[in-house]
Short mmCIF file of all heavy atoms in Angstrom, two decimals:
data_model
loop_
_atom_site.label_atom_id
_atom_site.label_comp_id
_atom_site.label_asym_id
_atom_site.label_seq_id
_atom_site.Cartn_x
_atom_site.Cartn_y
_atom_site.Cartn_z
N SER A 118 -46.04 -22.80 36.20
CA SER A 118 -47.06 -23.03 37.22
C SER A 118 -46.60 -24.15 38.16
O SER A 118 -45.55 -24.77 37.97
CB SER A 118 -48.40 -23.38 36.58
OG SER A 118 -49.42 -23.46 37.57
N GLY A 119 -47.42 -24.41 39.19
CA GLY A 119 -47.09 -25.47 40.13
C GLY A 119 -48.23 -25.69 41.10
O GLY A 119 -49.31 -25.11 40.96
N ILE A 120 -48.01 -26.55 42.07
CA ILE A 120 -49.01 -26.82 43.10
C ILE A 120 -49.13 -25.58 43.98
O ILE A 120 -48.12 -25.06 44.47
CB ILE A 120 -48.59 -28.06 43.92
CG1 ILE A 120 -48.71 -29.33 43.04
CG2 ILE A 120 -49.44 -28.19 45.18
CD1 ILE A 120 -48.08 -30.55 43.64
N PRO A 121 -50.34 -25.07 44.18
CA PRO A 121 -50.52 -23.82 44.94
C PRO A 121 -50.05 -23.95 46.40
O PRO A 121 -50.07 -25.05 46.97
CB PRO A 121 -52.02 -23.55 44.87
CG PRO A 121 -52.52 -24.39 43.72
CD PRO A 121 -51.62 -25.58 43.66
N GLU A 122 -49.68 -22.83 46.97
CA GLU A 122 -49.23 -22.82 48.37
C GLU A 122 -50.32 -23.39 49.29
O GLU A 122 -49.99 -24.12 50.23
CB GLU A 122 -48.89 -21.39 48.78
CG GLU A 122 -48.39 -21.26 50.21
CD GLU A 122 -47.99 -19.85 50.57
OE1 GLU A 122 -47.91 -18.99 49.66
OE2 GLU A 122 -47.77 -19.59 51.76
N ILE A 123 -51.57 -23.08 49.03
CA ILE A 123 -52.64 -23.54 49.92
C ILE A 123 -52.74 -25.08 49.91
O ILE A 123 -53.05 -25.69 50.93
CB ILE A 123 -53.99 -22.89 49.51
CG1 ILE A 123 -55.04 -23.16 50.60
CG2 ILE A 123 -54.48 -23.37 48.14
CD1 ILE A 123 -56.32 -22.35 50.41
N ARG A 124 -52.43 -25.71 48.75
CA ARG A 124 -52.47 -27.18 48.69
C ARG A 124 -51.25 -27.77 49.38
O ARG A 124 -51.31 -28.84 49.99
CB ARG A 124 -52.52 -27.64 47.24
CG ARG A 124 -53.88 -27.54 46.62
CD ARG A 124 -54.91 -28.46 47.31
NE ARG A 124 -54.67 -29.86 47.02
CZ ARG A 124 -54.25 -30.77 47.88
NH1 ARG A 124 -53.99 -30.43 49.13
NH2 ARG A 124 -54.07 -32.01 47.52
N PHE A 125 -50.11 -27.09 49.26
CA PHE A 125 -48.90 -27.52 49.96
C PHE A 125 -49.14 -27.49 51.47
O PHE A 125 -48.81 -28.45 52.19
CB PHE A 125 -47.75 -26.61 49.56
CG PHE A 125 -46.46 -26.88 50.29
CD1 PHE A 125 -45.69 -27.97 49.99
CD2 PHE A 125 -46.02 -26.00 51.29
CE1 PHE A 125 -44.50 -28.22 50.65
CE2 PHE A 125 -44.83 -26.23 51.96
CZ PHE A 125 -44.06 -27.35 51.64
N ILE A 126 -49.75 -26.41 51.96
CA ILE A 126 -50.06 -26.30 53.40
C ILE A 126 -51.06 -27.36 53.82
O ILE A 126 -50.96 -27.96 54.89
CB ILE A 126 -50.58 -24.88 53.71
CG1 ILE A 126 -49.50 -23.85 53.48
CG2 ILE A 126 -51.11 -24.80 55.14
CD1 ILE A 126 -49.97 -22.41 53.57
N ALA A 127 -52.07 -27.61 52.95
CA ALA A 127 -53.13 -28.56 53.27
C ALA A 127 -52.61 -29.99 53.43
O ALA A 127 -53.24 -30.82 54.10
CB ALA A 127 -54.23 -28.53 52.20
N SER A 128 -51.44 -30.28 52.86
CA SER A 128 -50.85 -31.63 53.05
C SER A 128 -50.55 -31.89 54.52
O SER A 128 -50.48 -33.04 54.94
CB SER A 128 -49.58 -31.76 52.22
OG SER A 128 -48.50 -31.04 52.81
N GLY A 129 -50.33 -30.82 55.29
CA GLY A 129 -50.08 -30.95 56.72
C GLY A 129 -48.68 -31.39 57.08
O GLY A 129 -48.37 -31.56 58.26
N ILE A 130 -47.83 -31.59 56.10
CA ILE A 130 -46.50 -32.13 56.39
C ILE A 130 -45.62 -31.10 57.08
O ILE A 130 -44.97 -31.37 58.10
CB ILE A 130 -45.81 -32.62 55.10
CG1 ILE A 130 -46.61 -33.79 54.50
CG2 ILE A 130 -44.38 -33.06 55.38
CD1 ILE A 130 -46.11 -34.24 53.14
N PHE A 131 -45.61 -29.90 56.52
CA PHE A 131 -44.72 -28.85 57.01
C PHE A 131 -45.55 -27.80 57.76
O PHE A 131 -46.47 -27.22 57.18
CB PHE A 131 -43.93 -28.22 55.86
CG PHE A 131 -43.15 -29.24 55.06
CD1 PHE A 131 -43.67 -29.79 53.91
CD2 PHE A 131 -41.91 -29.68 55.51
CE1 PHE A 131 -42.97 -30.74 53.19
CE2 PHE A 131 -41.20 -30.63 54.80
CZ PHE A 131 -41.74 -31.16 53.63
N ARG A 132 -45.21 -27.54 59.01
CA ARG A 132 -46.05 -26.70 59.86
C ARG A 132 -45.49 -25.30 60.09
O ARG A 132 -46.09 -24.51 60.80
CB ARG A 132 -46.25 -27.41 61.22
CG ARG A 132 -46.86 -28.81 61.12
CD ARG A 132 -48.24 -28.77 60.47
NE ARG A 132 -48.82 -30.09 60.30
CZ ARG A 132 -49.62 -30.68 61.19
NH1 ARG A 132 -49.90 -30.08 62.33
NH2 ARG A 132 -50.11 -31.87 60.93
N HIS A 133 -44.35 -24.99 59.51
CA HIS A 133 -43.74 -23.70 59.75
C HIS A 133 -44.43 -22.59 58.93
O HIS A 133 -44.95 -22.85 57.83
CB HIS A 133 -42.24 -23.73 59.38
CG HIS A 133 -41.43 -22.69 60.08
ND1 HIS A 133 -41.47 -21.35 59.76
CD2 HIS A 133 -40.56 -22.81 61.12
CE1 HIS A 133 -40.65 -20.68 60.54
NE2 HIS A 133 -40.07 -21.52 61.37
N ARG A 134 -44.42 -21.39 59.44
CA ARG A 134 -44.93 -20.22 58.71
C ARG A 134 -44.15 -20.06 57.41
O ARG A 134 -42.93 -20.18 57.39
CB ARG A 134 -44.74 -18.97 59.56
CG ARG A 134 -45.20 -17.67 58.92
CD ARG A 134 -44.70 -16.44 59.66
NE ARG A 134 -43.30 -16.16 59.39
CZ ARG A 134 -42.32 -16.33 60.26
NH1 ARG A 134 -42.57 -16.78 61.47
NH2 ARG A 134 -41.06 -16.05 59.93
N ILE A 135 -44.84 -19.79 56.32
CA ILE A 135 -44.20 -19.62 55.00
C ILE A 135 -44.18 -18.13 54.66
O ILE A 135 -45.22 -17.48 54.61
CB ILE A 135 -44.92 -20.42 53.91
CG1 ILE A 135 -44.87 -21.92 54.23
CG2 ILE A 135 -44.30 -20.15 52.55
CD1 ILE A 135 -45.70 -22.77 53.29
N ASP A 136 -43.00 -17.59 54.40
CA ASP A 136 -42.87 -16.18 54.02
C ASP A 136 -42.58 -16.00 52.52
O ASP A 136 -42.80 -14.94 51.98
CB ASP A 136 -41.74 -15.51 54.82
CG ASP A 136 -42.07 -15.45 56.31
OD1 ASP A 136 -43.24 -15.18 56.65
OD2 ASP A 136 -41.17 -15.68 57.15
N ARG A 137 -42.05 -17.04 51.90
CA ARG A 137 -41.80 -16.97 50.46
C ARG A 137 -42.02 -18.36 49.86
O ARG A 137 -41.53 -19.35 50.39
CB ARG A 137 -40.38 -16.48 50.19
CG ARG A 137 -40.08 -16.28 48.70
CD ARG A 137 -38.84 -15.41 48.48
NE ARG A 137 -37.62 -16.05 48.97
CZ ARG A 137 -36.44 -15.43 49.02
NH1 ARG A 137 -36.35 -14.16 48.61
NH2 ARG A 137 -35.37 -16.07 49.44
N PHE A 138 -42.76 -18.39 48.75
CA PHE A 138 -43.15 -19.67 48.15
C PHE A 138 -43.01 -19.55 46.63
O PHE A 138 -43.59 -18.66 46.02
CB PHE A 138 -44.60 -19.99 48.53
CG PHE A 138 -45.08 -21.34 48.07
CD1 PHE A 138 -44.87 -22.46 48.83
CD2 PHE A 138 -45.76 -21.47 46.85
CE1 PHE A 138 -45.32 -23.72 48.42
CE2 PHE A 138 -46.19 -22.70 46.42
CZ PHE A 138 -45.98 -23.84 47.21
N ARG A 139 -42.24 -20.45 46.06
CA ARG A 139 -42.04 -20.44 44.59
C ARG A 139 -42.25 -21.85 44.06
O ARG A 139 -41.90 -22.83 44.71
CB ARG A 139 -40.62 -19.96 44.26
CG ARG A 139 -40.38 -18.48 44.53
CD ARG A 139 -38.92 -18.12 44.43
NE ARG A 139 -38.17 -18.64 45.56
CZ ARG A 139 -36.86 -18.48 45.73
NH1 ARG A 139 -36.17 -17.84 44.82
NH2 ARG A 139 -36.25 -18.96 46.78
N HIS A 140 -42.84 -21.92 42.88
CA HIS A 140 -43.05 -23.23 42.25
C HIS A 140 -42.90 -23.11 40.74
O HIS A 140 -43.02 -22.03 40.17
CB HIS A 140 -44.41 -23.82 42.63
CG HIS A 140 -45.57 -22.92 42.27
ND1 HIS A 140 -46.82 -23.05 42.83
CD2 HIS A 140 -45.68 -21.90 41.39
CE1 HIS A 140 -47.63 -22.14 42.33
NE2 HIS A 140 -46.97 -21.44 41.44
N GLU A 141 -42.64 -24.25 40.08
CA GLU A 141 -42.51 -24.28 38.63
C GLU A 141 -42.62 -25.72 38.16
O GLU A 141 -42.63 -26.67 38.95
CB GLU A 141 -41.17 -23.68 38.19
CG GLU A 141 -39.95 -24.45 38.70
CD GLU A 141 -38.64 -23.88 38.23
OE1 GLU A 141 -38.66 -22.96 37.38
OE2 GLU A 141 -37.58 -24.33 38.70
#
Side-chain angles (χ1 to χ4, degrees):
S118 186
I120 291 168
E122 181 178 349
I123 191 170
R124 281 297 288 111
F125 175 74
I126 294 171
S128 74
I130 296 174
F131 303 97
R132 303 299 177 92
H133 204 286
R134 179 192 77 251
I135 299 173
D136 295 320
R137 184 163 65 186
F138 185 87
R139 290 169 288 179
H140 58 199
E141 63 179 352

